[in-house]
Amino acid sequence: MRRTKKRLNELLLDYGLIKEQDVLKALDIQRQTGAQLATILIEEGYVKEEDILGCFCRYLSLPALSLSKFKANEAIIKIIPEHVARHYRLVCVSQIANRLTVAMSDPLNVLAVDDIKALTGYDVIPVVSRLSEITEAVDRFYHHKVEAKPESLFDDLVKEISDEDIEVVKNVEQVDIGEVIRSSSEAPIVKMIDALIAEALIKRASDIHIEPYEENIRVRYRIDGALHDAAILPKKIQNAISARLKIMSNLDITQRLIPQDGRFKVRLGEREVDFRVSVLPIYHGEKVVMRALDKANLSIGLEALGFLPQAMDGFQYAVSRPYGMILVTGPTGSGKSTTLYSVLNKLNQPEKNLITIEDPVEYQVEGITQVQVKPDIGLTFSQGLRSILRQNPDVLMVGEIRDFETADIAIKAALTGALLLSTLHTNDAAGAVTRLMDMGIEPFLIASSVIAVGAQRLARNICSGCKEPYDIPQSVLDRMDIELKLDASTIKVYKGKGCEKCGGSGYRGRFAILEVLIINDDVRDMIMKRCSSDEIKRYARKELGMLTLRDTGIQNFLKGRTTLEEVLRVTSKE
């Protein structure tokens, strides 16, 4: 097969098999759900399965491989783990020397090819098969329709480690560091960590939790904001796993009694992902949490984060201003950093000087000067800001405003010609104003510098693979504490019943809910008068038409994007 940069949607358009507006709709669904484009096109009725098959065969000059009568060689089939076969809709059909022949529903999926190569170590030769036949073949060859138990991915690797390989030392102060280094570099441990990270990325996990207990080690992935069990590992490899991850993160493997923070970078196919690593000493060893920071999320643009048009317009207005302060508020894990980095990515142009000061640096982005706070040597937010202002920044991002000194310098920077982006921990947008006052900032400085505040939450999308309509009782809608009165007989609502695609949760992927408060002249007057956040919010809703977090969540519920339960989970009463 010749290497090509053509994509399925481009081929279908070239051959006149689909309309451009249908492609755009399918790509929008793909951005929201993460599903394969071929699956979406077929499920939405835009093209037939035969059209896609013929398109690939014609373009790649390959015959179609029928799997309906294919006789499986179990050892060859299972070279590719089941979760990978199901995720990418493919089946391994033969293995000769260091080459795998793989039947694929989308042979142009370079990411799938590279992921298989990274996981197995084999070169991949794609062939074309029907999507329906591959789905049936995966069920038939792996003997069941439910994904294997989480720990099965690591069973073979664990078996390679004998009891003599690693000595379990219960007194942490007597650990043989030389032995730990040796065991952490052995092939089974290296392969296990690589497989664990690869599986987490394939499953779209944002965090990997490795938690030691008295008898074993539990591995969990955080997917769409919720933790899921991934594997149970034997206690005997605990020290080797910790040491391996510390080595990867440039941490001190001899230090086991204090917390440590580090980072490393991995490449999986065409994806480059930074991992931020936190090691915390606990009673039964060291808990390791790895947070995945995928740069691909930054290049999708603000438009793809899921904001409703009204909130998007307000945010775009603020970003287009040459100077002033834009704040994004919300709890940890609400996507504040991703939103601000998406703004920075949009503003990242050669004629502008962009500088960030963070603790820690979340994403490493080319073209942006990034400063890591180091309080132990005196490089605090306030001290770093003073030095940064001497470098004449056009756009400045402060990771978080935590105290009066940082807030004071940041506001003065916004008043002297820089566009300043930062975050605060408040429940809503109006609360950011009173939070700054509580820190000791004078109202006239807030009114003069802040141009917009956004409060953000992340809500889960209903899985497109099992999305179905359902009837909601009118009594439930009547209990909703919102101004909009809903009639159960006139609205159509959806939920996910649970499937393999979403792991039975009914949800797949997340989108951002944003409440945007634009600081106009009237709001500035209210700030000068020290009005409460509730008064500012009531004015913004009535006079500016601001949609609160709950209002925005309800709008997405009515659009069929998420469920009422999810809206109630991530937003609070007004």
Side-chain angles (χ1 to χ4, degrees):
M1 189 191 82
R2 66 177 182 270
R3 197 72 167 180
T4 175
K5 292 185 178 179
K6 283 279 188 178
R7 297 179 179 179
L8 172 59
N9 57 304
E10 295 171 336
L11 293 179
L12 292 170
L13 287 170
D14 288 346
Y15 294 141
L17 297 173
I18 194 172
K19 297 178 181 178
E20 187 171 358
Q21 58 264 36
D22 292 338
V23 169
L24 295 175
K25 291 177 183 177
L27 290 173
D28 184 55
I29 295 173
Q30 185 184 42
R31 282 192 292 269
Q32 296 177 21
T33 65
Q36 283 192 305
L37 183 60
T39 304
I40 296 170
L41 292 171
I42 294 171
E43 289 178 350
E44 297 295 324
Y46 296 142
V47 295
K48 296 180 179 179
E49 186 177 21
E50 293 76 12
D51 294 333
I52 292 179
L53 185 71
C55 183
F56 284 138
C57 291
R58 178 180 173 187
Y59 183 70
L60 300 173
S61 300
L62 292 174
L65 175 65
S66 175
L67 296 175
S68 58
K69 298 181 181 180
F70 179 73
K71 293 182 179 180
N73 181 323
E74 187 169 345
I76 293 177
I77 291 292
K78 294 189 176 179
I79 290 175
I80 297 178
E82 179 180 357
H83 69 278
V84 177
R86 290 190 183 279
H87 178 77
Y88 286 123
R89 305 294 180 91
L90 50 83
V91 173
C92 182
V93 295
S94 75
Q95 179 258 319
I96 300 176
N98 66 333
R99 293 184 176 183
L100 293 182
T101 300
V102 180
M104 303 178 65
S105 60
D106 182 359
L108 298 180
N109 190 336
V110 178
L111 180 60
V113 172
D114 289 342
D115 282 357
I116 295 169
K117 185 175 181 180
L119 279 171
T120 65
Y122 290 96
D123 292 330
V124 177
I125 302 175
V127 295
V128 191
S129 291
R130 292 175 181 269
L131 178 61
S132 58
E133 289 188 0
I134 288 178
T135 302
E136 188 277 331
V138 170
D139 292 338
R140 175 160 47 96
F141 296 154
Y142 290 95
H143 305 301
H144 51 77
K145 294 188 178 182
V146 180
E147 193 167 312
K149 292 181 180 180
E151 61 267 28
S152 64
L153 173 65
F154 306 101
D155 280 350
D156 292 339
L157 295 172
V158 171
K159 290 175 183 177
E160 293 183 40
I161 306 171
S162 66
D163 290 335
E164 291 77 24
D165 285 338
I166 301 169
E167 179 185 359
V168 179
V169 182
K170 294 190 176 180
N171 186 342
V172 296
E173 294 184 0
Q174 297 179 5
V175 171
D176 184 341
I177 297 299
E179 176 66 16
V180 170
I181 294 174
R182 185 190 66 79
S183 60
S184 69
S185 301
E186 291 179 345
I189 291 293
V190 174
K191 288 180 181 178
M192 178 177 293
I193 297 298
D194 290 349
L196 185 150
I197 292 172
E199 183 187 53
L201 293 178
I202 289 171
K203 289 187 173 182
R204 304 174 298 106
S206 60
D207 302 89
I208 304 171
H209 291 242
I210 301 175
E211 304 162 322
Y213 293 94
E214 184 175 4
E215 302 295 335
N216 53 40
I217 305 166
R218 179 171 68 168
V219 179
R220 294 191 291 172
Y221 299 147
R222 186 180 295 279
I223 302 172
D224 296 334
L227 285 169
H228 302 269
D229 286 335
I232 300 296
L233 303 178
K235 187 72 172 178
K236 66 182 181 180
I237 63 174
Q238 174 178 312
N239 291 338
I241 289 176
S242 295
R244 174 63 183 166
L245 291 172
K246 286 181 179 180
I247 291 170
M248 293 170 64
S249 308
N250 292 318
L251 299 178
D252 185 356
I253 67 169
T254 65
Q255 185 56 259
R256 300 168 57 84
L257 300 178
I258 63 172
Q260 296 188 70
D261 296 302
R263 66 191 309 145
F264 63 87
K265 185 181 297 183
V266 300
R267 186 183 295 276
L268 184 63
E270 296 181 350
R271 294 172 64 188
E272 188 176 275
V273 182
D274 289 331
F275 276 89
R276 203 171 75 198
V277 181
S278 172
V279 181
L280 179 68
I282 61 175
Y283 185 75
H284 292 295
E286 292 176 295
K287 177 176 178 177
V288 182
V289 176
M290 296 177 281
R291 184 179 182 191
L293 304 168
D294 192 346
K295 292 182 182 178
N297 295 332
L298 308 181
S299 59
I300 59 177
L302 285 170
E303 295 78 5
L305 293 178
F307 300 153
L308 290 180
Q310 182 175 344
M312 188 68 206
D313 290 344
F315 208 70
Q316 292 277 30
Y317 160 77
V319 171
S320 66
R321 298 288 294 275
Y323 58 87
M325 177 183 285
I326 300 173
L327 297 172
V328 179
T329 76
T332 300
S334 59
K336 301 187 298 295
S337 294
T338 299
T339 297
L340 290 184
Y341 266 102
S342 295
V343 173
L344 287 176
N345 204 52
K346 179 178 181 179
L347 299 174
N348 190 3
Q349 300 169 0
E351 62 270 19
K352 290 187 177 181
N353 179 19
L354 283 73
I355 305 179
T356 75
I357 179 165
E358 306 166 71
D359 183 22
V361 172
E362 296 270 2
Y363 299 92
Q364 298 177 27
V365 183
E366 186 175 352
I368 300 176
T369 302
Q370 297 173 275
V371 180
Q372 167 74 56
V373 169
K374 296 178 181 178
D376 53 330
I377 62 172
L379 182 54
T380 60
F381 274 113
S382 55
Q383 183 61 43
L385 268 174
R386 288 191 183 93
S387 299
I388 288 172
L389 292 179
R390 300 187 191 107
Q391 305 237 333
N392 192 24
D394 297 298
V395 181
L396 175 59
M397 188 183 89
V398 180
E400 181 183 349
I401 294 178
R402 300 175 179 174
D403 52 43
F404 167 78
E405 193 173 12
T406 303
D408 184 56
I409 300 171
I411 284 178
K412 289 174 181 175
L415 290 173
T416 54
L419 180 64
L420 190 136
L421 315 173
S422 191
T423 67
L424 277 175
H425 287 290
T426 63
N427 292 326
D428 56 18
V433 173
T434 53
R435 176 76 179 110
L436 289 173
M437 289 184 189
D438 291 342
M439 287 183 180
I441 303 299
E442 292 294 333
F444 77 90
L445 289 175
I446 300 172
S448 302
S449 60
V450 179
I451 55 178
V453 183
Q456 184 168 310
R457 301 291 188 276
L458 293 179
R460 293 179 291 179
N461 287 299
I462 300 173
C463 174
S464 64
C466 58
K467 185 176 181 179
E468 61 179 12
Y470 77 103
D471 296 324
I472 187 169
Q474 182 64 44
S475 59
V476 173
L477 298 177
D478 291 340
R479 291 198 299 270
M480 292 292 296
D481 186 24
I482 56 174
E483 294 181 359
L484 180 65
K485 299 303 178 184
L486 304 177
D487 185 350
S489 63
T490 61
I491 64 174
K492 193 171 185 179
V493 297
Y494 298 86
K495 67 177 180 180
K497 63 181 180 180
C499 63
E500 294 174 4
K501 184 177 178 181
C502 61
S505 68
Y507 299 97
R508 183 179 171 87
R510 291 190 290 178
F511 64 96
I513 293 176
L514 188 69
E515 167 186 308
V516 179
L517 171 64
I518 299 298
I519 310 298
N520 66 2
D521 290 339
D522 291 333
V523 176
R524 290 190 184 95
D525 289 340
M526 297 180 75
I527 295 172
M528 295 290 289
K529 295 175 182 177
R530 294 183 179 268
C531 292
S532 68
S533 59
D534 289 339
E535 291 175 296
I536 294 174
K537 177 183 281 191
R538 283 195 295 270
Y539 167 81
R541 294 186 72 183
K542 183 178 179 180
E543 303 298 333
L544 303 181
M546 182 186 79
L547 293 177
T548 65
L549 288 168
R550 175 62 62 87
D551 295 335
T552 305
I554 293 297
Q555 292 293 328
N556 280 286
F557 161 65
L558 295 176
K559 289 176 178 289
R561 189 171 195 177
T562 191
T563 63
L564 183 59
E565 293 82 0
E566 183 69 1
V567 173
L568 297 178
R569 184 183 72 86
V570 301
T571 65
S572 58
K573 292 182 180 180
E574 305 302 340

